[in-house]
Amino acid sequence: MAPSSVAVTIEKPNKFSLVEINGSDSTLLLEKQKAVSPKQFTWFLFLKAHRVFACLSWLPMASKTMVSSVKKRIALSDVSEEEAKSRRLYRFIKAFLFMSVLALVLEIVAHLKKWNLSIVQIRPWEVQGLLQWCYMTWMSFRVDYVAPLVLTMSKFCIVLFLIQSLDRLVLCLGCFWIKYKNLKPRINGDAYDIEDASSFPMVLVQIPMCNEREVFAQSIAAVLIKDEVSSWREKGVNIIYRHRLIRTGYKAGNLKSAMGCDYVKDYEFVAIFDADFQPNSDFLKQTVPHFKGDPELGLVQARWSFVNKDENLLTRLQNINLCFHFEVEQQVNGAFLNFFGFNGTAGVWRIKALEDSGGWLERTTVEDMDIAVRAHLNGWKFIFLNDVKVLCELPESYEAYKKQQHRWHSGPMQLFRLCLPAVVRSKISISKKANLIFLFFLLRKLILPFYSFTLFCIILPLTMFIPEAELPLWVICYIPIFMSLLNILPAPKSFPFLVPYLLFENTMSVTKFNAMISGLFQLGSAYEWVVTKKTGRSSESDLVALAERESKSSNEEKITRRHSESGLETLNKLKQQEEIAPSKKRNKLYRKELALALLLLTAAARSLLSAHGVHFYFLLFQGLTFLVVGLDLIGEQIS
């Protein structure tokens, strides 16, 4: 069989023809193909040029579209109130950014002109031009004055970083020990008879709320709260509606007002839930029995569980933080110290402990931590139940989360200033005083936001322009990754979010640092108490599920039918209102985050000139994370 070959010819652009050649005719045809190959090659070049020009024509259009969208986003943006009140930090970052850009321009010029030589090699009379003289003067000033100062600051922050990391490691080891030894709070054998409800003590349940239309339905299932309470009272349920006309003191004012009622004297314990919390029906049976036989026990705290933890990236990152807080911090402190900060909800207090500690005070925005510290100073013990979980919601928008974190980090500093004299004068042991002052307040509430912002957002980009004070690799890479791994251990399903979690925590350090400073020195919005916006997402599912159960059972009591019907009717009305008048959502721009994004990206460009590997990538991705957060591109947007 004679050998055959196939020749390919290009007759027109995008049109090919295949010709099979047999035997000796192949040589002749191949020679003809060689003769016409220049023409074919020309067509090939035309095709390539056509594609290149098409791409080039697309780029300006795409750039124009992107610029117009950015302008539109900025035009529709709304600067948050918290940003307008904290201009000092923003001005500092902006000035730092301006100097960094100037330094970067000077370094680029020096790199292009190959001025990167030691000062000893260039004599003063060899300097060419004013720009080179400025560069050499900057190098001399940097080595003699700036570098020693930055080195001192970085060493101080590194020491704080190591101390806080050691504290985090000890907490994790304590958690491992609890699991290994199965150390859990036990109910005494002679506790209340669960089968006999009459043996239980009287427990007062309080749900303080204000302007929380989206979530209160999951607590009492109606928008007309007063009418719903009246309906339950007609069925024999012991429930009271109380409305404050003078709404001072925020949540602390609500609780203080409620505890001043006459009926409180008939109760021994009080269970407190925020409006979005949904305890199981056996919550009191799992918590109240721990009080019997232990008259020194003042608080039983349950763990939070989140119904929307997988809703978006923001809620996933919050879930990592709060899982570590409850399973490690709260559980370890409860097991070994009998003390931790009350979380403000999903807890049961002995009313006598509240009264002995002075009751609810309105002096800070963290009334829950305030009462916990005062109760601890009066000798009351706390226990944490890691196995008892109460469903609640996480804030799904960055704006709501930012305001929540501002309150959570400014309030402890207010409290520290107010209660420090009381801690020093108290009769508790020296070790408990040291734990309160150095670990509970200074290390975990002050040092943590201070070093995380100063070290990773200020000193690190600064060292890119001052190579004499460069941070070692283990400070910016190895230890932070190891600490993030420890944080994710209580939520192992979140392991794929290790890097986003590390970057996002550094991004949040600017909010926490600003809040800490404002609370410590009573600046800006330190005493502003903003209700964390929730979506009421779990309310809808609960009401629908309740309606399905009712349709399957015809023997339900009338009170249960009333509960479901009013809730579903309210839900439908709210949906109709939203359809008629949809809320207009606006994007937010966060200036400090945007300024820090530009600062870190400028430092990344400088590190690229110096051929830094890990430093460059860390600064690049951290700067991009600040940019995403500053443009409000994480989480849901709220109206």
Tab-separated table of all heavy atoms in Angstrom, residues 103-117 128 131-132 135 605-606 608-610:
chain	number	residue	atom	x	y	z
A	103	ALA	N	7.944	58.912	48.893
A	103	ALA	CA	9.108	58.037	49.053
A	103	ALA	C	9.185	57.001	47.938
A	103	ALA	O	10.274	56.682	47.442
A	103	ALA	CB	9.063	57.350	50.416
A	104	LEU	N	8.014	56.479	47.506
A	104	LEU	CA	8.004	55.495	46.432
A	104	LEU	C	8.497	56.115	45.124
A	104	LEU	O	9.274	55.496	44.381
A	104	LEU	CB	6.600	54.927	46.255
A	104	LEU	CG	6.421	53.934	45.103
A	104	LEU	CD1	7.309	52.702	45.310
A	104	LEU	CD2	4.961	53.536	44.950
A	105	VAL	N	8.050	57.335	44.823
A	105	VAL	CA	8.499	58.009	43.600
A	105	VAL	C	10.009	58.205	43.629
A	105	VAL	O	10.710	57.963	42.623
A	105	VAL	CB	7.766	59.351	43.444
A	105	VAL	CG1	8.367	60.160	42.287
A	105	VAL	CG2	6.283	59.126	43.209
A	106	LEU	N	10.517	58.630	44.780
A	106	LEU	CA	11.961	58.832	44.909
A	106	LEU	C	12.725	57.524	44.753
A	106	LEU	O	13.782	57.472	44.104
A	106	LEU	CB	12.265	59.472	46.267
A	106	LEU	CG	13.694	59.974	46.502
A	106	LEU	CD1	14.066	61.025	45.481
A	106	LEU	CD2	13.833	60.515	47.916
A	107	GLU	N	12.182	56.447	45.319
A	107	GLU	CA	12.844	55.149	45.208
A	107	GLU	C	12.815	54.629	43.769
A	107	GLU	O	13.778	54.009	43.307
A	107	GLU	CB	12.170	54.136	46.143
A	107	GLU	CG	12.362	54.399	47.626
A	107	GLU	CD	13.779	54.116	48.086
A	107	GLU	OE1	14.549	53.509	47.329
A	107	GLU	OE2	14.112	54.505	49.216
A	108	ILE	N	11.734	54.880	43.052
A	108	ILE	CA	11.660	54.439	41.650
A	108	ILE	C	12.686	55.174	40.799
A	108	ILE	O	13.386	54.574	39.971
A	108	ILE	CB	10.236	54.650	41.101
A	108	ILE	CG1	9.257	53.693	41.787
A	108	ILE	CG2	10.200	54.442	39.589
A	108	ILE	CD1	7.816	53.902	41.393
A	109	VAL	N	12.807	56.496	41.018
A	109	VAL	CA	13.804	57.270	40.286
A	109	VAL	C	15.204	56.772	40.603
A	109	VAL	O	16.055	56.602	39.711
A	109	VAL	CB	13.655	58.763	40.611
A	109	VAL	CG1	14.789	59.569	39.978
A	109	VAL	CG2	12.304	59.290	40.118
A	110	ALA	N	15.471	56.528	41.897
A	110	ALA	CA	16.789	56.040	42.295
A	110	ALA	C	17.078	54.669	41.701
A	110	ALA	O	18.214	54.365	41.307
A	110	ALA	CB	16.872	55.979	43.821
A	111	HIS	N	16.037	53.843	41.599
A	111	HIS	CA	16.225	52.506	41.024
A	111	HIS	C	16.532	52.591	39.534
A	111	HIS	O	17.408	51.878	39.020
A	111	HIS	CB	14.972	51.676	41.265
A	111	HIS	CG	15.058	50.284	40.716
A	111	HIS	ND1	15.767	49.282	41.349
A	111	HIS	CD2	14.527	49.726	39.595
A	111	HIS	CE1	15.668	48.165	40.636
A	111	HIS	NE2	14.926	48.412	39.564
A	112	LEU	N	15.830	53.471	38.812
A	112	LEU	CA	16.055	53.608	37.374
A	112	LEU	C	17.418	54.220	37.069
A	112	LEU	O	18.076	53.856	36.093
A	112	LEU	CB	14.937	54.456	36.752
A	112	LEU	CG	13.535	53.842	36.786
A	112	LEU	CD1	12.503	54.817	36.229
A	112	LEU	CD2	13.488	52.530	36.015
A	113	LYS	N	17.841	55.163	37.911
A	113	LYS	CA	19.134	55.814	37.693
A	113	LYS	C	20.288	55.099	38.391
A	113	LYS	O	21.418	55.588	38.386
A	113	LYS	CB	19.059	57.268	38.173
A	113	LYS	CG	18.146	58.147	37.326
A	113	LYS	CD	18.154	59.574	37.814
A	113	LYS	CE	17.330	60.471	36.899
A	113	LYS	NZ	17.966	60.598	35.570
A	114	LYS	N	19.948	53.954	39.048
A	114	LYS	CA	20.958	53.136	39.706
A	114	LYS	C	21.736	53.924	40.757
A	114	LYS	O	22.949	53.902	40.832
A	114	LYS	CB	21.924	52.534	38.684
A	114	LYS	CG	21.235	51.634	37.680
A	114	LYS	CD	22.206	51.028	36.704
A	114	LYS	CE	21.483	50.112	35.715
A	114	LYS	NZ	22.412	49.499	34.736
A	115	TRP	N	20.948	54.629	41.625
A	115	TRP	CA	21.567	55.352	42.731
A	115	TRP	C	21.663	54.492	43.983
A	115	TRP	O	22.096	54.963	45.028
A	115	TRP	CB	20.730	56.583	43.087
A	115	TRP	CG	20.773	57.639	42.035
A	115	TRP	CD1	21.636	57.727	40.998
A	115	TRP	CD2	19.891	58.745	41.933
A	115	TRP	NE1	21.367	58.820	40.241
A	115	TRP	CE2	20.283	59.481	40.792
A	115	TRP	CE3	18.812	59.212	42.682
A	115	TRP	CZ2	19.641	60.646	40.399
A	115	TRP	CZ3	18.164	60.362	42.293
A	115	TRP	CH2	18.576	61.073	41.155
A	116	ASN	N	21.190	53.257	43.916
A	116	ASN	CA	21.128	52.402	45.103
A	116	ASN	C	22.514	51.931	45.504
A	116	ASN	O	22.853	50.765	45.477
A	116	ASN	CB	20.220	51.194	44.847
A	116	ASN	CG	18.800	51.643	44.528
A	116	ASN	OD1	18.322	52.606	45.098
A	116	ASN	ND2	18.163	50.950	43.611
A	117	LEU	N	23.369	52.868	45.871
A	117	LEU	CA	24.729	52.589	46.328
A	117	LEU	C	24.855	53.074	47.754
A	117	LEU	O	24.084	53.905	48.241
A	117	LEU	CB	25.759	53.292	45.427
A	117	LEU	CG	25.672	52.952	43.934
A	117	LEU	CD1	26.629	53.842	43.154
A	117	LEU	CD2	26.016	51.499	43.685
A	128	GLN	N	25.058	64.361	41.595
A	128	GLN	CA	24.633	65.039	40.374
A	128	GLN	C	23.158	65.442	40.495
A	128	GLN	O	22.278	64.594	40.491
A	128	GLN	CB	24.812	64.129	39.162
A	128	GLN	CG	26.250	63.697	38.926
A	128	GLN	CD	26.363	62.726	37.776
A	128	GLN	OE1	25.373	62.337	37.188
A	128	GLN	NE2	27.596	62.349	37.464
A	131	LEU	N	17.861	66.222	42.840
A	131	LEU	CA	17.103	65.023	43.182
A	131	LEU	C	17.987	63.964	43.827
A	131	LEU	O	17.602	63.335	44.826
A	131	LEU	CB	16.429	64.469	41.928
A	131	LEU	CG	15.352	63.407	42.157
A	131	LEU	CD1	14.233	63.963	43.017
A	131	LEU	CD2	14.786	62.908	40.841
A	132	GLN	N	19.187	63.772	43.267
A	132	GLN	CA	20.099	62.798	43.868
A	132	GLN	C	20.559	63.259	45.245
A	132	GLN	O	20.732	62.453	46.156
A	132	GLN	CB	21.304	62.566	42.969
A	132	GLN	CG	22.176	61.405	43.441
A	132	GLN	CD	23.336	61.130	42.517
A	132	GLN	OE1	23.633	61.926	41.635
A	132	GLN	NE2	23.990	59.998	42.723
A	135	TYR	N	17.869	62.390	47.618
A	135	TYR	CA	17.859	60.953	47.888
A	135	TYR	C	18.958	60.566	48.867
A	135	TYR	O	18.725	59.801	49.810
A	135	TYR	CB	18.010	60.185	46.582
A	135	TYR	CG	18.045	58.685	46.765
A	135	TYR	CD1	16.916	57.983	47.171
A	135	TYR	CD2	19.225	57.976	46.544
A	135	TYR	CE1	16.941	56.619	47.347
A	135	TYR	CE2	19.266	56.598	46.725
A	135	TYR	CZ	18.120	55.928	47.117
A	135	TYR	OH	18.159	54.574	47.302
A	605	ALA	N	4.429	47.953	46.228
A	605	ALA	CA	5.219	48.359	45.060
A	605	ALA	C	6.671	48.609	45.444
A	605	ALA	O	7.600	48.252	44.707
A	605	ALA	CB	4.605	49.614	44.437
A	606	ARG	N	6.877	49.197	46.616
A	606	ARG	CA	8.259	49.420	47.074
A	606	ARG	C	8.970	48.102	47.368
A	606	ARG	O	10.159	47.934	47.040
A	606	ARG	CB	8.252	50.290	48.343
A	606	ARG	CG	9.626	50.484	48.990
A	606	ARG	CD	10.571	51.205	48.059
A	606	ARG	NE	11.901	51.325	48.632
A	606	ARG	CZ	12.877	50.429	48.509
A	606	ARG	NH1	12.649	49.303	47.824
A	606	ARG	NH2	14.050	50.632	49.045
A	608	LEU	N	8.431	45.360	45.889
A	608	LEU	CA	8.718	44.728	44.606
A	608	LEU	C	10.065	45.208	44.044
A	608	LEU	O	10.804	44.423	43.438
A	608	LEU	CB	7.598	45.036	43.617
A	608	LEU	CG	7.642	44.307	42.277
A	608	LEU	CD1	7.550	42.795	42.487
A	608	LEU	CD2	6.522	44.786	41.370
A	609	LEU	N	10.387	46.478	44.260
A	609	LEU	CA	11.681	46.987	43.816
A	609	LEU	C	12.830	46.312	44.550
A	609	LEU	O	13.912	46.113	43.987
A	609	LEU	CB	11.757	48.506	44.045
A	609	LEU	CG	10.838	49.380	43.192
A	609	LEU	CD1	10.992	50.839	43.591
A	609	LEU	CD2	11.139	49.197	41.713
A	610	SER	N	12.581	45.964	45.821
A	610	SER	CA	13.625	45.317	46.622
A	610	SER	C	13.612	43.811	46.496
A	610	SER	O	14.354	43.125	47.211
A	610	SER	CB	13.453	45.702	48.099
A	610	SER	OG	13.475	47.102	48.262
